[in-house]
Amino acid sequence: MSEEKNQAEKVISVLEELGIEYVLHEHPAVFTVEEAQEHAEGIQGLHCKNLFLRDQKGKKHFLVVAENVKPIQVKEVGRKLGVGNLSFGSPERLLKHLGLTPGAVSPFGLINDPEHKVVLVLDEELKKSDLLNFHPNDNTKTITLSYQDFEKYVKWTGNVVKTLML
């Protein structure tokens, strides 16, 4: 079994343990928002993008979640968080902190952060959508769940959560 398949099974196991209803969609592997949009037709809800960022010293890590088509100004996110300039975390950092590879980044990666070192940063706009879509740490699948159930999952992770107007 590949690591990504194992990751998706971990996500599904946690969702079921929490009593969270979800719909699982399968599609070809996608690595960018543009590729994901090609397979989004017929999948209800808001499709999200996820940016793994770090501070200048590499001591603080952030997972920023917003609508997939919303432009995100990384410098502005750092300012709003009060942490100075942010930059994208390397694939090695991503693997170390969330157990993920590029293309499979999602809030479900927090399952792999038992020490709660990654801060989850949610765009305020996500609250306006009844349904959200994320990869289950596997870029050949998409999970649709309600915003309310997403909040339940986020609370379960124990990670610090910041909600900002991005």
Side-chain angles (χ1 to χ4, degrees):
M1 179 182 304
S2 77
E3 180 63 27
E4 282 189 346
K5 301 293 183 223
N6 191 20
Q7 289 276 1
E9 287 178 7
K10 281 171 61 174
V11 171
I12 289 167
S13 177
V14 167
L15 295 179
E16 290 177 354
E17 174 186 316
L18 295 172
I20 290 176
E21 292 185 29
Y22 63 90
V23 177
L24 179 66
H25 310 273
E26 298 201 22
H27 47 73
V30 294
F31 295 91
T32 65
V33 167
E34 292 77 19
E35 289 176 1
Q37 285 179 305
E38 292 176 24
H39 304 288
E41 193 171 324
I43 299 177
Q44 293 182 343
L46 186 78
H47 293 267
C48 299
K49 67 178 165 187
N50 309 276
L51 308 176
F52 180 66
L53 306 174
R54 62 181 274 263
D55 70 354
Q56 281 186 310
K57 294 183 180 179
K59 303 259 187 235
K60 296 179 183 175
H61 295 84
F62 304 87
L63 180 60
V64 177
V65 181
E67 183 177 4
N68 63 350
V69 294
K70 185 170 193 169
I72 301 297
Q73 304 299 324
V74 173
K75 190 173 188 174
E76 186 68 11
V77 173
R79 188 188 66 71
K80 287 182 177 184
L81 288 169
V83 296
N85 288 336
L86 295 175
S87 60
F88 286 92
S90 67
E92 294 78 20
R93 283 180 187 273
L94 177 60
L95 188 60
K96 176 182 175 184
H97 292 283
L98 293 178
L100 302 176
T101 56
V105 181
S106 92
F108 294 125
L110 297 174
I111 288 170
N112 302 320
D113 182 23
E115 296 178 15
H116 315 301
K117 290 188 174 186
V118 177
V119 174
L120 181 62
V121 180
L122 301 175
D123 182 10
E124 183 77 33
E125 294 287 316
L126 297 178
K127 292 180 180 179
K128 295 180 181 178
S129 183
D130 292 336
L131 298 173
L132 300 176
N133 291 288
F134 303 103
H135 292 308
N137 302 337
D138 174 344
N139 65 353
T140 66
K141 296 172 178 48
T142 296
I143 282 187
T144 304
L145 72 165
S146 71
Y147 182 82
Q148 187 174 10
D149 278 340
F150 177 65
E151 283 186 314
K152 185 177 182 180
Y153 161 76
V154 167
K155 184 176 180 181
W156 172 86
T157 69
N159 288 69
V160 171
V161 180
K162 305 272 186 183
T163 303
L164 302 174
M165 187 58 76
L166 298 177

